[in-house]
């Protein structure tokens, strides 16, 4: 009979917790979580060559059961969202740490794992960077989403491992610069421990979802994530500059757009995070002031004495381009996306729609509380708004169910939410 990873870990707890023998039944005598300080087989060497990668591929192809997968990015340090470390663990194969800088094409590994369930925590964050290096799951289990559906109040990996399995993961290296080479040993230990207990966490959460009658819901959600196409590039990404709400005039918007675009080019060329090149706050200050020369620019917050003359000149050149644009080429005020207006405007624009929305929100809130899951996982607020703003001509069950399905709601969501929306759509102002 083979032990599960968790039992095995409990068996060697004595070796790596702070004092004492192994606790009974995975529950420490004092009720405190057991610190997980070292991966079971130690820290594996980082895979940086084709030969080492071929060995990992063979080992993981021969492994058993699902595979735990995680990726580390250098958000806030580097341009873009590429992976700088990929961690995997599978029974029979152990843990592997792969450097995607040295091994940029992992499609061979992706193929070896085809048909295997991947376990990820917060899958939508890691899937885009994994897809870029040739890894796409055919099926997955998302432990964060499982935690949400099961009604856990805290769904971070550390909190889940602690509340479900009774182990404390080290915190602290998630926000480091993972593009650093060589990677320091404490970071590698942290990275290996991130996948150490994912298989056990998955198994425990599957049991809990099954007990609550929510396992099919979770499977539909996982399927939707695994089959979702890549997100299309954002239209006018400069409009997402933080503090943008202060920028009212079209000429000022043009300044934001020119500075954002210039900053993006520099960041891409230097491979650093755009915020390290110039802050959003500085862009907004420049847009509000529209300075006429470098001296005026230097007086603004974010463009002070620490910035070199050449940099200041390139930012002023971007501002001058915006100042020189004819009226016809200035950006239009941001459309509130192609959908309903913001809810605060509904009461004035369409009081009946506002009444429908209020009734729908109350119904969704009550049902989500009854089911012990977050409202946004029961149905997205955007979906509710769209159905309430433009309801189907006949607001009966079939028509509402069809409208929800067209907006991307899953079968379990449609089944639960349709009755309460049918009722809400008959609300009067």
């Amino acid at each position: 009979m083979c032990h599960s990873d968790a039992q095995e870990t409990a068996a060697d707890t004595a070796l790596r917790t702070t004092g004492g023998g192994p606790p009974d039944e995975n529950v420490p005598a004092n009720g405190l979580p057991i610190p997980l300080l070292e991966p079971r087989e130690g820290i594996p060497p980082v895979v940086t060559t084709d030969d080492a990668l071929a060995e990992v591929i063979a080992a993981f192809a021969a492994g058993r059961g699902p595979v735990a997968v995680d990726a580390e990015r250098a958000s806030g340090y580097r341009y873009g969202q590429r992976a700088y470390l990929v961690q995997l663990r599978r029974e029979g194969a152990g843990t592997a740490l792969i450097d995607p800088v040295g091994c940029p094409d992992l499609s061979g590994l992706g193929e070896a794992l085809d048909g295997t369930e991947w376990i990820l925590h917060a899958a939508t964050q890691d899937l885009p960077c994994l897809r870029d290096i040739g890894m796409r799951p055919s099926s997955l289990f998302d432990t964060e989403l499982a935690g949400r559906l099961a009604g856990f109040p805290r769904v971070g990996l550390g909190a889940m491992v602690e509340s479900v399995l009774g182990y404390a993961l080290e915190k602290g290296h998630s926000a480091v610069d993972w593009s650093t080479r060589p990677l320091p040993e404490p970071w590698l230990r942290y990275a290996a421990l991130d996948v150490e207990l994912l298989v056990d966490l998955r198994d425990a959460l599957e049991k809990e979802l099954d007990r609550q009658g929510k396992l099919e819901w979770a499977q539909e959600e996982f399927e939707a994530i695994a089959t979702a196409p890549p997100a299309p590039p954002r239209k006018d990404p400069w409009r997402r500059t933080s503090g943008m709400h202060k920028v009212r005039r079209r000429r000022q918007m043009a300044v934001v757009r020119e500075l954002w675009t210039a900053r993006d080019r520099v960041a891409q060329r230097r491979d650093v995070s755009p915020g390290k090149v110039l802050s959003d706050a500085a862009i907004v200050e420049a847009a509000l002031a529209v300075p006429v020369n470098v001296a005026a620019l230097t007086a603004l917050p974010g463009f002070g004495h620490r910035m070199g003359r050449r940099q200041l000149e390139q930012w002023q050149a971007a501002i001058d381009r915006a100042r020189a644009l004819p009226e016809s080429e200035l950006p239009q005020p941001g459309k509130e996306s192609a959908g309903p207006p913001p809810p605060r405007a509904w009461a004035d624009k369409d009081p009946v729609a506002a009444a429908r929305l209020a009734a729908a929100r109350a119904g969704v809130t009550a049902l989500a509380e009854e089911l012990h899951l977050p409202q946004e996982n029961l149905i997205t607020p955007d979906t509710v708004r769209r159905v309430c703003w433009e309801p189907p001509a006949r607001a009966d069950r079939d028509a509402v169910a069809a409208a929800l399905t067209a907006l991307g709601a899953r079968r379990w969501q449609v089944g639960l939410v349709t009755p309460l929306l049918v009722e809400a759509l008959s609300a009067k102002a």
Side-chain angles (χ1 to χ4, degrees):
M1 140 135 190
C2 68
H3 282 315
S4 80
D5 276 357
Q7 289 164 316
E8 215 173 291
T9 308
D12 16 290
T13 304
L15 306 178
R16 75 174 81 120
T17 54
T18 38
D24 296 333
E25 292 301 304
N26 279 9
V27 180
N30 57 7
L32 294 172
I34 304 161
L36 198 59
L37 304 177
E38 200 63 44
R40 257 161 293 207
E41 301 93 12
I43 304 169
V46 179
V47 173
T48 56
T49 65
D50 290 347
D51 290 350
L53 179 61
E55 283 176 32
V56 164
I57 291 173
F60 275 78
R64 300 179 296 285
V67 61
V69 183
D70 189 25
E72 305 296 347
R73 298 179 301 282
S75 313
Y77 298 94
R78 294 287 179 177
Y79 186 86
Q81 291 296 317
R82 65 173 291 186
Y84 282 96
L85 188 70
V86 175
Q87 307 100 279
L88 303 106
R89 182 173 180 84
R90 191 178 192 190
E91 201 175 322
T95 296
L97 302 178
I98 302 174
D99 176 5
V101 178
C103 301
D105 179 9
L106 298 188
S107 52
L109 179 59
E111 283 159 24
L113 295 172
D114 191 41
T116 301
E117 179 190 84
W118 292 23
I119 309 165
L120 296 118
H121 191 80
T124 50
Q125 291 179 22
D126 286 340
L127 287 177
C129 71
L130 289 166
R131 194 183 283 125
D132 289 344
I133 49 179
M135 294 184 68
R136 289 177 188 75
S138 44
S139 71
L140 63 84
F141 189 106
D142 184 333
T143 48
E144 189 216 37
L145 186 48
R148 287 178 188 278
L149 293 173
F152 282 85
R154 291 163 60 228
V155 292
L157 181 60
M160 297 280 290
V161 164
E162 201 166 302
S163 57
V164 178
L165 302 175
Y167 289 94
L169 284 177
E170 186 198 351
K171 301 171 180 60
H173 295 301
S174 58
V176 296
D177 179 0
W178 287 95
S179 68
T180 303
R181 290 296 179 272
L183 283 162
E185 188 173 285
W187 301 11
L188 294 173
R189 181 180 296 110
Y190 163 92
L193 288 172
D194 260 2
V195 290
E196 181 86 357
L197 295 178
L198 266 185
V199 178
D200 302 288
L201 183 59
R202 174 227 176 277
D203 292 347
L205 287 170
E206 183 176 59
K207 284 198 187 84
E208 181 57 26
L209 287 166
D210 195 30
R211 189 185 70 75
Q212 294 186 24
K214 295 175 178 174
L215 186 55
E216 277 187 23
W217 304 357
Q219 285 162 345
E220 281 185 41
E221 291 298 303
F222 302 156
E223 168 76 5
I225 294 171
T227 55
R234 285 218 167 92
K235 190 178 180 295
D236 294 348
W238 58 270
R239 291 186 187 271
R240 299 177 66 85
T241 303
S242 80
M244 189 69 196
H245 59 279
K246 300 179 200 157
V247 180
R248 301 261 186 234
R249 298 202 193 99
R250 291 173 63 205
R251 180 76 55 195
Q252 296 174 326
M253 286 180 189
V255 173
V256 174
R257 181 175 66 186
E258 292 297 331
L259 281 172
W260 190 97
T261 308
R263 174 183 74 172
D264 196 62
R265 276 200 298 269
V266 173
Q268 196 166 2
R269 191 180 71 236
R270 288 174 34 200
D271 190 17
V272 292
S273 158
K276 285 210 179 312
V277 175
L278 186 67
S279 71
D280 279 12
I283 289 180
V284 170
E285 290 287 349
L288 296 175
V290 195
V292 294
N293 55 34
V294 169
L297 179 65
T298 313
L300 298 176
F303 294 93
H305 55 276
R306 295 221 310 280
M307 197 172 273
R309 179 82 194 179
R310 249 188 62 218
Q311 275 180 296
L312 287 164
E313 282 170 358
Q314 83 179 358
W315 303 134
Q316 185 61 46
I319 295 163
D320 291 343
R321 285 195 294 276
R323 287 177 54 232
L325 283 176
E327 285 285 321
S328 60
E329 288 177 35
L330 295 177
Q332 293 298 332
K335 299 279 183 289
E336 286 282 349
S337 76
R344 59 179 181 278
W346 286 31
D348 293 337
K349 289 188 174 172
D350 187 340
V352 180
R356 291 193 292 257
L357 183 63
R361 282 174 160 177
V364 168
T365 303
L367 182 57
E369 278 174 11
E370 193 187 315
L371 296 169
H372 300 294
L373 53 90
Q375 296 174 34
E376 65 273 17
N377 290 107
L378 174 57
I379 190 78
T380 69
D382 182 63
T383 300
V384 174
R385 283 197 294 270
R386 285 170 189 265
V387 173
C388 290
W389 186 250
E390 282 184 41
R394 296 187 335 280
D396 60 19
R397 265 179 184 247
D398 290 349
V400 170
L404 288 171
T405 305
L407 289 166
R410 262 69 75 190
R411 213 173 49 227
W412 71 274
Q413 295 174 315
V414 174
L416 288 166
V417 174
T418 296
L420 63 88
L421 279 186
V422 170
E423 195 177 324
L425 291 179
S426 62
K428 301 282 180 275

